[in-house]
Amino acid sequence: MKYDVVVVGASAGGLTAAISAKRFYPDKSVLVIKKEETGMIPCGIPYVFGTLKGVDDDILPVERFLEPLGVEILTDEVTEIDPRRKTLRTRSGKEIVWEKLVIATGSKPVKPEFPGSDLEGVYTVPKDYQYLKEFREKLENAGRVVIIGGGFIALEVGDEIQKLGKDVTIVVRSRLLRSSFDPEFSEMVEERLRERGINVVHGQIERLLGDKKVEKVKLIDGRELDADLVIFSIGYRPNVDLAVKAGLRVTRYGIWTDEYMRTSCPDIFAVGDCVEHRDFFTGKPYPLMLASTATFEARIAGANLFKLQIVRENRRTIGAYSTHVAGLTLAAAGLTEEAARKEGFEVVVGYGKGPDRHPAKFPDTSMVTVKLIFSRDRGAILGAQIAGGKSVGEMINVLALAIQKRLTASELYTLQIATHPLLTASPVGYQILQAAEDALAKLRA
């Protein structure tokens, strides 16, 4: 079997890479190899525990996206890649020859080896259909659920499980969403979770207790938390085994790539969670795992497979996030104030706050808080954080573009916007413009 392009992996990154490859090079043959028969929509996984009826409501329709384009699909597992011969082998014994290869093998959840972590009733949150089916079934009979971790997945899963009437406790070492938000936003979401009836405990795990099945979580300070089911949600590791075996350059953060998503072997590209990402401002590698980032990288890879296109290159990663927890939408892009100061930037911060409808008497109105971080030297935007209603999910995309284009506080202040009473904040009090105005006043002081 021989193909012009082979993509290993069929989640957000692999799927998008195949689509982009076919659209930019329609005459090329493209094959996608997926390990699982049934794939999951990654960002929808937390919602199979509450809002959705179950795991089958979160299926990723790979065939619907690829088959109309003429992309072939093979369900098998790649076990070996030979860059020199441009071949790969699969678990079933197939050998496939490729001209260009895209590795999109994703990531796997971290499960630390605490004493008792092998007890029955201890889970992680992988992108695995069969595992999640079993997990969802076991959850039905669990009254008390303890979640270890304070990131996006931990909070979203906790919020969803609480909707099932479960007693939910989240254990976090420092503060919630620490890597993406400054303390005032962490406090905001913790308050919302507590109001919703979710217990937030600050502490560190020592061990899990139980006889065959987990019964308690013991903290280092001696506290014990009753648990029928424990979920570890403390991060993910890049799946780089294939790349390591193939002799590609791999760091502790993932597979190394250049600005066109080429690996150390120029005919092999890599995208998504398995890749080392580098910060937009500092160039330092950092562990970023987002479906939106994976698709961004996949579009670059797909466009540059057979000829490099300078307008389609990865100029490093901003990191734009959004989540909806306990009725509160949170979103962020770029550097936090803490991170910017730690890197040595002298910063000015601007705030804007107000309702996202005008007048605020509309029934779906939410209060929105915007925090913008600017460099003092030229007033360029470094980061943004927003909390409020669902409109926040799109507002952060505007600010992500502003960061990419290095807009200044002055340029954001004079941004021309569309507003409507039912859809947006008032043009007089639009929160992004308010925050830019606040920062401008401080820059002139």
Side-chain angles (χ1 to χ4, degrees):
M1 302 170 69
K2 184 175 182 179
Y3 293 87
D4 297 312
V5 181
V6 175
V7 180
V8 182
S11 193
L15 185 60
T16 304
I19 292 169
S20 298
K22 199 64 178 174
R23 285 179 174 161
F24 277 94
Y25 308 101
D27 297 331
K28 302 293 187 181
S29 58
V30 180
L31 171 70
V32 170
I33 304 176
K34 61 189 185 86
K35 185 178 176 181
E36 294 86 11
E37 184 67 41
T38 305
M40 309 291 297
I41 298 173
C43 300
I45 288 173
Y47 303 96
V48 307
F49 301 109
T51 300
L52 298 174
K53 293 178 182 178
V55 177
D56 288 313
D57 284 354
D58 189 49
I59 303 303
L60 181 62
V62 173
E63 290 77 11
R64 181 167 65 82
F65 283 108
L66 299 183
E67 288 179 351
L69 297 175
V71 176
E72 294 186 40
I73 303 167
L74 171 65
T75 301
D76 206 338
E77 181 182 1
V78 177
T79 57
E80 183 181 350
I81 295 168
D82 187 335
R84 186 180 58 82
R85 295 178 58 235
K86 288 193 171 183
T87 62
L88 62 81
R89 295 193 68 83
T90 70
R91 181 74 60 192
S92 67
K94 291 184 175 65
E95 182 172 276
I96 297 170
V97 179
W98 45 269
E99 181 62 27
K100 303 288 182 177
L101 183 72
V102 181
I103 299 174
T105 45
S107 59
K108 52 191 173 186
V110 175
K111 186 177 179 181
E113 296 302 319
F114 287 111
S117 60
D118 57 346
L119 289 168
E120 182 185 339
V122 180
Y123 291 89
T124 58
V125 188
K127 304 161 192 174
D128 185 310
Y129 174 80
Q130 291 298 338
Y131 182 100
L132 290 169
K133 287 273 282 189
E134 178 193 324
F135 181 178
R136 183 69 171 77
E137 290 167 5
K138 295 292 185 182
L139 184 60
E140 295 292 336
N141 298 318
R144 298 161 300 185
V145 178
V146 176
I147 300 171
I148 315 300
F152 289 98
I153 302 298
L155 271 57
E156 290 169 358
V157 169
D159 189 37
E160 289 297 303
I161 289 176
Q162 199 269 344
K163 293 175 183 178
L164 301 177
K166 310 297 183 182
D167 181 347
V168 176
T169 298
I170 295 174
V171 180
V172 59
R173 290 184 63 173
S174 54
R175 60 180 175 83
L176 303 175
L177 303 178
R178 179 174 181 173
S179 63
S180 305
F181 292 90
D182 286 312
E184 62 265 42
F185 288 84
S186 297
E187 291 167 9
M188 202 181 302
V189 71
E190 181 170 335
E191 182 180 342
R192 282 293 190 99
L193 288 168
R194 291 187 187 279
E195 289 173 357
R196 183 63 66 92
I198 294 173
N199 187 27
V200 179
V201 173
H202 294 267
Q204 191 171 345
I205 306 300
E206 179 185 291
R207 64 190 303 120
L208 305 182
L209 304 173
D211 181 15
K212 294 186 180 179
K213 185 180 183 301
V214 69
E215 297 173 7
K216 293 179 183 291
V217 175
K218 184 177 181 180
L219 305 184
I220 284 177
D221 62 13
R223 286 178 291 173
E224 293 184 358
L225 309 172
D226 293 331
D228 301 312
L229 189 145
V230 171
I231 303 167
F232 279 104
S233 181
I234 58 172
Y236 292 76
R237 289 196 180 104
N239 279 326
V240 297
D241 292 349
L242 276 176
V244 171
K245 286 172 64 178
L248 302 181
R249 180 180 170 189
V250 176
T251 75
R252 57 176 291 204
Y253 296 96
I255 304 168
W256 177 90
T257 60
D258 67 10
E259 62 269 39
Y260 301 101
M261 308 313 300
R262 296 178 299 186
T263 69
S264 52
C265 174
D267 290 321
I268 300 179
F269 293 67
V271 302
D273 288 2
C274 62
V275 167
E276 175 191 276
H277 300 97
R278 292 179 288 280
D279 181 75
F280 183 77
F281 292 101
T282 68
K284 294 179 180 178
Y286 72 119
L288 177 73
M289 295 184 181
L290 295 171
S292 54
T293 300
T295 57
F296 153 66
E297 293 170 343
R299 292 186 184 101
I300 293 169
N304 290 289
L305 285 170
F306 292 94
K307 58 179 180 180
L308 298 188
Q309 303 181 62
I310 193 68
V311 297
R312 298 185 181 93
E313 60 178 307
N314 184 350
R315 297 177 183 174
R316 300 192 296 218
T317 306
I318 287 172
Y321 310 80
S322 59
T323 189
H324 186 74
V325 177
L328 178 70
T329 304
L330 291 156
L335 297 175
T336 63
E337 181 184 357
E338 278 193 351
R341 293 188 187 279
K342 186 177 179 181
E343 289 295 341
F345 288 102
E346 188 177 358
V347 302
V348 168
V349 175
Y351 288 92
K353 186 173 182 179
D356 60 358
R357 302 288 183 267
H358 61 290
K361 295 293 185 180
F362 284 118
D364 63 343
T365 298
S366 299
M367 290 298 294
V368 171
T369 300
V370 172
K371 177 178 183 177
L372 302 182
I373 300 101
F374 298 92
S375 64
R376 180 171 284 280
D377 59 347
R378 62 177 289 264
I381 186 168
L382 300 174
Q385 296 162 59
I386 319 178
K390 291 185 178 179
S391 59
V392 164
E394 289 299 337
M395 289 175 71
I396 198 63
N397 292 335
V398 173
L399 292 167
L401 178 61
I403 294 167
Q404 283 180 258
K405 295 301 181 182
R406 302 180 187 272
L407 296 189
T408 64
S410 179
E411 288 168 321
L412 276 173
Y413 176 58
T414 55
L415 183 69
Q416 298 185 52
I417 58 172
T419 63
H420 185 279
L422 290 168
L423 303 175
T424 71
S426 163
V428 176
Y430 196 74
Q431 296 88 348
I432 292 175
L433 308 189
Q434 277 187 343
E437 182 180 41
D438 184 33
L440 276 175
K442 295 170 183 173
L443 283 166
R444 293 193 180 102

PDB file of all heavy atoms in Angstrom, residues 232-256:
ATOM      1  N   PHE A 232      -8.413  11.187  38.916  1.00  0.00           N
ATOM      2  CA  PHE A 232      -7.189  11.972  38.779  1.00  0.00           C
ATOM      3  C   PHE A 232      -7.270  12.800  37.500  1.00  0.00           C
ATOM      4  O   PHE A 232      -7.434  12.261  36.401  1.00  0.00           O
ATOM      5  CB  PHE A 232      -5.962  11.062  38.720  1.00  0.00           C
ATOM      6  CG  PHE A 232      -5.484  10.595  40.056  1.00  0.00           C
ATOM      7  CD1 PHE A 232      -5.728   9.298  40.485  1.00  0.00           C
ATOM      8  CD2 PHE A 232      -4.797  11.461  40.902  1.00  0.00           C
ATOM      9  CE1 PHE A 232      -5.295   8.862  41.725  1.00  0.00           C
ATOM     10  CE2 PHE A 232      -4.354  11.037  42.138  1.00  0.00           C
ATOM     11  CZ  PHE A 232      -4.597   9.730  42.564  1.00  0.00           C
ATOM     12  N   SER A 233      -7.178  14.110  37.652  1.00  0.00           N
ATOM     13  CA  SER A 233      -7.162  15.007  36.502  1.00  0.00           C
ATOM     14  C   SER A 233      -6.062  16.032  36.732  1.00  0.00           C
ATOM     15  O   SER A 233      -6.311  17.201  37.016  1.00  0.00           O
ATOM     16  CB  SER A 233      -8.521  15.690  36.340  1.00  0.00           C
ATOM     17  OG  SER A 233      -8.515  16.536  35.218  1.00  0.00           O
ATOM     18  N   ILE A 234      -4.821  15.581  36.613  1.00  0.00           N
ATOM     19  CA  ILE A 234      -3.665  16.427  36.947  1.00  0.00           C
ATOM     20  C   ILE A 234      -2.765  16.662  35.736  1.00  0.00           C
ATOM     21  O   ILE A 234      -1.590  16.991  35.886  1.00  0.00           O
ATOM     22  CB  ILE A 234      -2.868  15.819  38.107  1.00  0.00           C
ATOM     23  CG1 ILE A 234      -2.392  14.405  37.764  1.00  0.00           C
ATOM     24  CG2 ILE A 234      -3.690  15.798  39.386  1.00  0.00           C
ATOM     25  CD1 ILE A 234      -1.445  13.827  38.801  1.00  0.00           C
ATOM     26  N   GLY A 235      -3.321  16.500  34.558  1.00  0.00           N
ATOM     27  CA  GLY A 235      -2.551  16.786  33.367  1.00  0.00           C
ATOM     28  C   GLY A 235      -2.414  15.593  32.429  1.00  0.00           C
ATOM     29  O   GLY A 235      -2.879  14.491  32.736  1.00  0.00           O
ATOM     30  N   TYR A 236      -1.788  15.852  31.278  1.00  0.00           N
ATOM     31  CA  TYR A 236      -1.617  14.846  30.236  1.00  0.00           C
ATOM     32  C   TYR A 236      -0.174  14.844  29.765  1.00  0.00           C
ATOM     33  O   TYR A 236       0.519  15.864  29.843  1.00  0.00           O
ATOM     34  CB  TYR A 236      -2.565  15.143  29.060  1.00  0.00           C
ATOM     35  CG  TYR A 236      -4.028  14.946  29.402  1.00  0.00           C
ATOM     36  CD1 TYR A 236      -4.718  15.878  30.168  1.00  0.00           C
ATOM     37  CD2 TYR A 236      -4.707  13.809  28.983  1.00  0.00           C
ATOM     38  CE1 TYR A 236      -6.043  15.690  30.508  1.00  0.00           C
ATOM     39  CE2 TYR A 236      -6.035  13.607  29.310  1.00  0.00           C
ATOM     40  CZ  TYR A 236      -6.697  14.554  30.077  1.00  0.00           C
ATOM     41  OH  TYR A 236      -8.011  14.358  30.414  1.00  0.00           O
ATOM     42  N   ARG A 237       0.257  13.700  29.274  1.00  0.00           N
ATOM     43  CA  ARG A 237       1.608  13.572  28.714  1.00  0.00           C
ATOM     44  C   ARG A 237       1.509  13.323  27.211  1.00  0.00           C
ATOM     45  O   ARG A 237       0.631  12.576  26.766  1.00  0.00           O
ATOM     46  CB  ARG A 237       2.347  12.399  29.366  1.00  0.00           C
ATOM     47  CG  ARG A 237       2.734  12.642  30.815  1.00  0.00           C
ATOM     48  CD  ARG A 237       3.786  11.627  31.270  1.00  0.00           C
ATOM     49  NE  ARG A 237       4.162  11.851  32.665  1.00  0.00           N
ATOM     50  CZ  ARG A 237       3.748  11.106  33.681  1.00  0.00           C
ATOM     51  NH1 ARG A 237       2.934  10.089  33.452  1.00  0.00           N
ATOM     52  NH2 ARG A 237       4.132  11.366  34.920  1.00  0.00           N
ATOM     53  N   PRO A 238       2.422  13.905  26.435  1.00  0.00           N
ATOM     54  CA  PRO A 238       2.373  13.676  24.983  1.00  0.00           C
ATOM     55  C   PRO A 238       2.689  12.226  24.634  1.00  0.00           C
ATOM     56  O   PRO A 238       3.563  11.603  25.237  1.00  0.00           O
ATOM     57  CB  PRO A 238       3.458  14.617  24.444  1.00  0.00           C
ATOM     58  CG  PRO A 238       4.361  14.876  25.602  1.00  0.00           C
ATOM     59  CD  PRO A 238       3.514  14.808  26.822  1.00  0.00           C
ATOM     60  N   ASN A 239       1.960  11.685  23.667  1.00  0.00           N
ATOM     61  CA  ASN A 239       2.224  10.332  23.161  1.00  0.00           C
ATOM     62  C   ASN A 239       3.344  10.413  22.124  1.00  0.00           C
ATOM     63  O   ASN A 239       3.104  10.733  20.962  1.00  0.00           O
ATOM     64  CB  ASN A 239       0.967   9.742  22.509  1.00  0.00           C
ATOM     65  CG  ASN A 239       0.008   9.177  23.527  1.00  0.00           C
ATOM     66  OD1 ASN A 239       0.410   8.648  24.558  1.00  0.00           O
ATOM     67  ND2 ASN A 239      -1.282   9.293  23.250  1.00  0.00           N
ATOM     68  N   VAL A 240       4.558  10.137  22.541  1.00  0.00           N
ATOM     69  CA  VAL A 240       5.716  10.311  21.660  1.00  0.00           C
ATOM     70  C   VAL A 240       6.457   9.007  21.393  1.00  0.00           C
ATOM     71  O   VAL A 240       7.535   9.023  20.791  1.00  0.00           O
ATOM     72  CB  VAL A 240       6.703  11.349  22.257  1.00  0.00           C
ATOM     73  CG1 VAL A 240       6.057  12.720  22.352  1.00  0.00           C
ATOM     74  CG2 VAL A 240       7.196  10.904  23.632  1.00  0.00           C
ATOM     75  N   ASP A 241       5.902   7.879  21.807  1.00  0.00           N
ATOM     76  CA  ASP A 241       6.620   6.608  21.683  1.00  0.00           C
ATOM     77  C   ASP A 241       7.023   6.318  20.237  1.00  0.00           C
ATOM     78  O   ASP A 241       8.158   5.905  19.966  1.00  0.00           O
ATOM     79  CB  ASP A 241       5.758   5.460  22.223  1.00  0.00           C
ATOM     80  CG  ASP A 241       5.558   5.553  23.731  1.00  0.00           C
ATOM     81  OD1 ASP A 241       6.258   6.371  24.366  1.00  0.00           O
ATOM     82  OD2 ASP A 241       4.710   4.840  24.267  1.00  0.00           O
ATOM     83  N   LEU A 242       6.104   6.533  19.300  1.00  0.00           N
ATOM     84  CA  LEU A 242       6.414   6.270  17.889  1.00  0.00           C
ATOM     85  C   LEU A 242       7.556   7.163  17.406  1.00  0.00           C
ATOM     86  O   LEU A 242       8.449   6.713  16.680  1.00  0.00           O
ATOM     87  CB  LEU A 242       5.179   6.507  17.021  1.00  0.00           C
ATOM     88  CG  LEU A 242       4.177   5.375  16.883  1.00  0.00           C
ATOM     89  CD1 LEU A 242       2.980   5.845  16.067  1.00  0.00           C
ATOM     90  CD2 LEU A 242       4.815   4.155  16.231  1.00  0.00           C
ATOM     91  N   ALA A 243       7.512   8.423  17.791  1.00  0.00           N
ATOM     92  CA  ALA A 243       8.539   9.371  17.360  1.00  0.00           C
ATOM     93  C   ALA A 243       9.899   9.003  17.938  1.00  0.00           C
ATOM     94  O   ALA A 243      10.927   9.096  17.252  1.00  0.00           O
ATOM     95  CB  ALA A 243       8.149  10.786  17.785  1.00  0.00           C
ATOM     96  N   VAL A 244       9.926   8.586  19.196  1.00  0.00           N
ATOM     97  CA  VAL A 244      11.184   8.179  19.827  1.00  0.00           C
ATOM     98  C   VAL A 244      11.768   6.968  19.111  1.00  0.00           C
ATOM     99  O   VAL A 244      12.957   6.931  18.772  1.00  0.00           O
ATOM    100  CB  VAL A 244      10.962   7.872  21.325  1.00  0.00           C
ATOM    101  CG1 VAL A 244      12.204   7.241  21.930  1.00  0.00           C
ATOM    102  CG2 VAL A 244      10.602   9.152  22.075  1.00  0.00           C
ATOM    103  N   LYS A 245      10.929   5.960  18.847  1.00  0.00           N
ATOM    104  CA  LYS A 245      11.389   4.757  18.156  1.00  0.00           C
ATOM    105  C   LYS A 245      11.891   5.070  16.746  1.00  0.00           C
ATOM    106  O   LYS A 245      12.794   4.405  16.234  1.00  0.00           O
ATOM    107  CB  LYS A 245      10.259   3.730  18.091  1.00  0.00           C
ATOM    108  CG  LYS A 245       9.963   3.036  19.410  1.00  0.00           C
ATOM    109  CD  LYS A 245       8.722   2.171  19.334  1.00  0.00           C
ATOM    110  CE  LYS A 245       8.886   1.030  18.348  1.00  0.00           C
ATOM    111  NZ  LYS A 245       7.666   0.164  18.317  1.00  0.00           N
ATOM    112  N   ALA A 246      11.302   6.101  16.126  1.00  0.00           N
ATOM    113  CA  ALA A 246      11.704   6.467  14.766  1.00  0.00           C
ATOM    114  C   ALA A 246      12.969   7.315  14.746  1.00  0.00           C
ATOM    115  O   ALA A 246      13.494   7.632  13.668  1.00  0.00           O
ATOM    116  CB  ALA A 246      10.567   7.228  14.082  1.00  0.00           C
ATOM    117  N   GLY A 247      13.461   7.709  15.920  1.00  0.00           N
ATOM    118  CA  GLY A 247      14.681   8.501  15.982  1.00  0.00           C
ATOM    119  C   GLY A 247      14.478   9.981  15.763  1.00  0.00           C
ATOM    120  O   GLY A 247      15.444  10.721  15.515  1.00  0.00           O
ATOM    121  N   LEU A 248      13.244  10.465  15.889  1.00  0.00           N
ATOM    122  CA  LEU A 248      12.980  11.890  15.733  1.00  0.00           C
ATOM    123  C   LEU A 248      13.423  12.638  16.990  1.00  0.00           C
ATOM    124  O   LEU A 248      13.519  12.067  18.075  1.00  0.00           O
ATOM    125  CB  LEU A 248      11.493  12.133  15.479  1.00  0.00           C
ATOM    126  CG  LEU A 248      10.876  11.432  14.270  1.00  0.00           C
ATOM    127  CD1 LEU A 248       9.397  11.784  14.144  1.00  0.00           C
ATOM    128  CD2 LEU A 248      11.611  11.806  12.987  1.00  0.00           C
ATOM    129  N   ARG A 249      13.641  13.918  16.833  1.00  0.00           N
ATOM    130  CA  ARG A 249      14.028  14.741  17.984  1.00  0.00           C
ATOM    131  C   ARG A 249      12.815  14.956  18.886  1.00  0.00           C
ATOM    132  O   ARG A 249      11.792  15.487  18.447  1.00  0.00           O
ATOM    133  CB  ARG A 249      14.577  16.086  17.500  1.00  0.00           C
ATOM    134  CG  ARG A 249      15.012  17.021  18.620  1.00  0.00           C
ATOM    135  CD  ARG A 249      15.535  18.321  18.032  1.00  0.00           C
ATOM    136  NE  ARG A 249      15.728  19.327  19.074  1.00  0.00           N
ATOM    137  CZ  ARG A 249      16.014  20.607  18.830  1.00  0.00           C
ATOM    138  NH1 ARG A 249      16.158  21.016  17.559  1.00  0.00           N
ATOM    139  NH2 ARG A 249      16.155  21.469  19.812  1.00  0.00           N
ATOM    140  N   VAL A 250      12.947  14.548  20.139  1.00  0.00           N
ATOM    141  CA  VAL A 250      11.859  14.651  21.109  1.00  0.00           C
ATOM    142  C   VAL A 250      12.409  15.261  22.391  1.00  0.00           C
ATOM    143  O   VAL A 250      13.485  14.877  22.860  1.00  0.00           O
ATOM    144  CB  VAL A 250      11.240  13.264  21.398  1.00  0.00           C
ATOM    145  CG1 VAL A 250      10.166  13.363  22.490  1.00  0.00           C
ATOM    146  CG2 VAL A 250      10.641  12.658  20.130  1.00  0.00           C
ATOM    147  N   THR A 251      11.677  16.218  22.963  1.00  0.00           N
ATOM    148  CA  THR A 251      12.066  16.836  24.230  1.00  0.00           C
ATOM    149  C   THR A 251      11.084  16.384  25.317  1.00  0.00           C
ATOM    150  O   THR A 251      10.131  15.642  25.042  1.00  0.00           O
ATOM    151  CB  THR A 251      12.033  18.370  24.136  1.00  0.00           C
ATOM    152  OG1 THR A 251      10.664  18.823  24.161  1.00  0.00           O
ATOM    153  CG2 THR A 251      12.703  18.853  22.852  1.00  0.00           C
ATOM    154  N   ARG A 252      11.273  16.853  26.513  1.00  0.00           N
ATOM    155  CA  ARG A 252      10.368  16.488  27.611  1.00  0.00           C
ATOM    156  C   ARG A 252       8.956  17.028  27.367  1.00  0.00           C
ATOM    157  O   ARG A 252       7.997  16.588  27.991  1.00  0.00           O
ATOM    158  CB  ARG A 252      10.881  17.023  28.945  1.00  0.00           C
ATOM    159  CG  ARG A 252      11.087  18.510  29.001  1.00  0.00           C
ATOM    160  CD  ARG A 252      11.498  19.002  30.384  1.00  0.00           C
ATOM    161  NE  ARG A 252      10.417  18.866  31.333  1.00  0.00           N
ATOM    162  CZ  ARG A 252      10.320  19.610  32.429  1.00  0.00           C
ATOM    163  NH1 ARG A 252      11.243  20.501  32.717  1.00  0.00           N
ATOM    164  NH2 ARG A 252       9.320  19.449  33.265  1.00  0.00           N
ATOM    165  N   TYR A 253       8.819  18.005  26.444  1.00  0.00           N
ATOM    166  CA  TYR A 253       7.522  18.601  26.157  1.00  0.00           C
ATOM    167  C   TYR A 253       6.827  17.990  24.944  1.00  0.00           C
ATOM    168  O   TYR A 253       5.681  18.311  24.661  1.00  0.00           O
ATOM    169  CB  TYR A 253       7.669  20.112  25.930  1.00  0.00           C
ATOM    170  CG  TYR A 253       8.142  20.851  27.161  1.00  0.00           C
ATOM    171  CD1 TYR A 253       9.492  21.145  27.345  1.00  0.00           C
ATOM    172  CD2 TYR A 253       7.240  21.242  28.150  1.00  0.00           C
ATOM    173  CE1 TYR A 253       9.928  21.828  28.475  1.00  0.00           C
ATOM    174  CE2 TYR A 253       7.671  21.927  29.284  1.00  0.00           C
ATOM    175  CZ  TYR A 253       9.014  22.215  29.440  1.00  0.00           C
ATOM    176  OH  TYR A 253       9.444  22.883  30.561  1.00  0.00           O
ATOM    177  N   GLY A 254       7.532  17.147  24.200  1.00  0.00           N
ATOM    178  CA  GLY A 254       6.920  16.535  23.028  1.00  0.00           C
ATOM    179  C   GLY A 254       7.860  16.514  21.836  1.00  0.00           C
ATOM    180  O   GLY A 254       9.066  16.759  21.951  1.00  0.00           O
ATOM    181  N   ILE A 255       7.299  16.250  20.673  1.00  0.00           N
ATOM    182  CA  ILE A 255       8.080  16.163  19.438  1.00  0.00           C
ATOM    183  C   ILE A 255       8.486  17.562  18.985  1.00  0.00           C
ATOM    184  O   ILE A 255       7.638  18.459  18.879  1.00  0.00           O
ATOM    185  CB  ILE A 255       7.261  15.479  18.319  1.00  0.00           C
ATOM    186  CG1 ILE A 255       6.773  14.095  18.766  1.00  0.00           C
ATOM    187  CG2 ILE A 255       8.075  15.367  17.032  1.00  0.00           C
ATOM    188  CD1 ILE A 255       5.725  13.485  17.851  1.00  0.00           C
ATOM    189  N   TRP A 256       9.771  17.747  18.725  1.00  0.00           N
ATOM    190  CA  TRP A 256      10.241  19.051  18.236  1.00  0.00           C
ATOM    191  C   TRP A 256       9.776  19.262  16.805  1.00  0.00           C
ATOM    192  O   TRP A 256       9.833  18.353  15.965  1.00  0.00           O
ATOM    193  CB  TRP A 256      11.765  19.118  18.283  1.00  0.00           C
ATOM    194  CG  TRP A 256      12.306  20.408  17.720  1.00  0.00           C
ATOM    195  CD1 TRP A 256      12.545  21.566  18.384  1.00  0.00           C
ATOM    196  CD2 TRP A 256      12.631  20.668  16.342  1.00  0.00           C
ATOM    197  NE1 TRP A 256      13.009  22.529  17.527  1.00  0.00           N
ATOM    198  CE2 TRP A 256      13.064  22.011  16.269  1.00  0.00           C
ATOM    199  CE3 TRP A 256      12.587  19.897  15.172  1.00  0.00           C
ATOM    200  CZ2 TRP A 256      13.466  22.593  15.066  1.00  0.00           C
ATOM    201  CZ3 TRP A 256      12.978  20.489  13.976  1.00  0.00           C
ATOM    202  CH2 TRP A 256      13.420  21.815  13.920  1.00  0.00           C
TER     203      TRP A 256
END
